[in-house]
Amino acid sequence: MSMRRIPVFGGLIAMALMITACTVPADFSEPATSEPKLKVIATTTIVGDVVRQVGGDAIDLSVILPVGGDPHSYQATPGDLARVAEADVVFVNGVGLELFLDSLIENTAGQARVVSVSEGIPLRVFAGDHDRDDDNHGDEDDEDDHDHEYDPHVWFDPTLVKVWVENISTVLSELDGANASLYQENARKYTIELEILDQWITAEVAKIPAANRLLVMDHRVTGYFSNRYGFKEVGALIPAFSTLAEPSGRELAELVDVIADLNIKAIFVSEAVSPSLAERIAEDTGTQVVFIYHGSLSEADGAAATYLDFMRYNVAAITNALK
């Protein structure tokens, strides 16, 4: 059985039109001055897109990870070193996601401010197969000490990405006061788009019977999504938040039993993980393998060119597979 990408948008023209009508169009105002633009770095394509929505044309933005890059396993390049050394600010997801970042910062002579866009978000404690919620608002020091304790995949809940937007707007406004009103207005507009997205996801999830809202992933990435929209993540090929972990034979055998016992309809995998293991499990259990995006956007002409597209694609894929 080969992994297939379900054509999630086929037959959903009316839905797409509704979203287009409700979405606030991107309309970046002109920068207030002709001074050199802030040199801004984002670590991932997802963080980069949100930074772009807030900064617009007033910033000079560069993204470290390429499209399809896995933040868990990425190795920094000499080019990354040079860009960070020249940057005014580096926006990171934080919560231990960017394993390459510490050495990258240590080996640059620049004075870039490093900002975790996830600062202030209530983080989920990751404890292997026994996840639980936690009201910790992990600051930078806590994140350094507990890289493997908290779940970093906060972007799967657009209401948490609103915190990203606020953090980005605040920092850009502090560094570039002349364009503060532009950043704040862009942030306001994009926050409305995130609220519309959240409402749309809620409506789409309502199409899935409650008994079918069970997720098996390639690794533990949908905890925040599940908490927000009433799913239960019942298993993962890699029972960890990082793609660098490896499952044991016992863990895979237990997963096969879970899929069979709960009549799981799909295993959701991304490009960051080899599909061969998922395909083998799917053949053994008679389920299907469905592609979704995890830690990266697609190319500009792809189905997940922006964060909003990323979430719409994933939700449509999940809804089509489970309803």
Side-chain angles (χ1 to χ4, degrees), residues 163-234:
V163 178
W164 285 17
V165 173
E166 182 178 355
N167 288 336
I168 293 165
S169 175
T170 297
V171 171
L172 291 180
S173 296
E174 290 173 355
L175 295 176
D176 180 18
N179 286 307
S181 60
L182 178 149
Y183 301 135
Q184 292 159 12
E185 178 62 10
N186 286 345
R188 184 190 68 81
K189 291 179 178 179
Y190 193 60
T191 296
I192 293 173
E193 294 195 72
L194 292 172
E195 291 169 350
I196 293 171
L197 175 64
D198 176 54
Q199 294 165 8
W200 175 78
I201 294 173
T202 299
E204 288 300 295
V205 168
K207 300 174 182 178
I208 305 174
N212 290 356
R213 295 177 197 172
L214 305 175
L215 297 175
V216 172
M217 315 302 296
D218 54 23
H219 69 296
R220 300 282 196 181
V221 295
T222 55
Y224 296 99
F225 177 84
S226 296
N227 284 356
R228 177 67 182 170
Y229 300 109
F231 286 84
K232 184 176 182 181
E233 197 175 77
V234 296

Side-chain angles (χ1 to χ4, degrees), residues 40-259:
V40 180
I41 301 289
T43 49
T44 74
T45 56
I46 295 172
V47 172
D49 181 62
V50 179
V51 171
R52 183 178 293 108
Q53 301 307 316
V54 178
D57 294 331
I59 64 173
D60 180 4
L61 176 65
S62 179
V63 178
I64 294 178
L65 267 74
V67 168
D70 181 1
H72 297 295
S73 60
Y74 181 74
Q75 298 293 318
T77 69
D80 298 332
L81 209 64
R83 284 186 290 171
V84 170
E86 297 174 354
D88 295 304
V89 59
V90 179
F91 287 106
V92 307
N93 179 88
V95 201
L97 181 74
E98 296 96 341
L99 300 177
F100 62 88
L101 188 65
D102 288 344
S103 61
L104 184 60
I105 296 298
E106 288 172 3
N107 286 292
T108 62
Q111 300 297 315
R113 180 174 174 180
V114 180
V115 176
S116 169
V117 295
S118 301
E119 184 175 355
I121 290 177
L123 301 176
R124 295 179 65 255
V125 171
F126 180 84
D129 289 330
H130 304 286
D131 293 336
R132 64 179 175 85
D133 289 334
D134 187 85
D135 60 0
N136 177 278
H137 288 250
D139 58 25
E140 293 288 350
D141 291 335
D142 284 341
E143 288 172 10
D144 290 341
D145 293 338
H146 303 288
D147 281 355
H148 300 288
E149 183 176 355
Y150 297 110
D151 183 350
H153 304 94
V154 297
W155 62 89
F156 274 90
D157 179 348
T159 67
L160 300 182
V161 175
K162 290 165 61 177
V163 178
W164 285 17
V165 173
E166 182 178 355
N167 288 336
I168 293 165
S169 175
T170 297
V171 171
L172 291 180
S173 296
E174 290 173 355
L175 295 176
D176 180 18
N179 286 307
S181 60
L182 178 149
Y183 301 135
Q184 292 159 12
E185 178 62 10
N186 286 345
R188 184 190 68 81
K189 291 179 178 179
Y190 193 60
T191 296
I192 293 173
E193 294 195 72
L194 292 172
E195 291 169 350
I196 293 171
L197 175 64
D198 176 54
Q199 294 165 8
W200 175 78
I201 294 173
T202 299
E204 288 300 295
V205 168
K207 300 174 182 178
I208 305 174
N212 290 356
R213 295 177 197 172
L214 305 175
L215 297 175
V216 172
M217 315 302 296
D218 54 23
H219 69 296
R220 300 282 196 181
V221 295
T222 55
Y224 296 99
F225 177 84
S226 296
N227 284 356
R228 177 67 182 170
Y229 300 109
F231 286 84
K232 184 176 182 181
E233 197 175 77
V234 296
L237 301 177
I238 302 172
F241 79 72
S242 173
T243 55
L244 299 179
E246 294 185 3
S248 67
R250 178 184 61 80
E251 288 167 336
L252 291 176
E254 291 175 350
L255 179 61
V256 168
D257 290 341
V258 166
I259 292 172

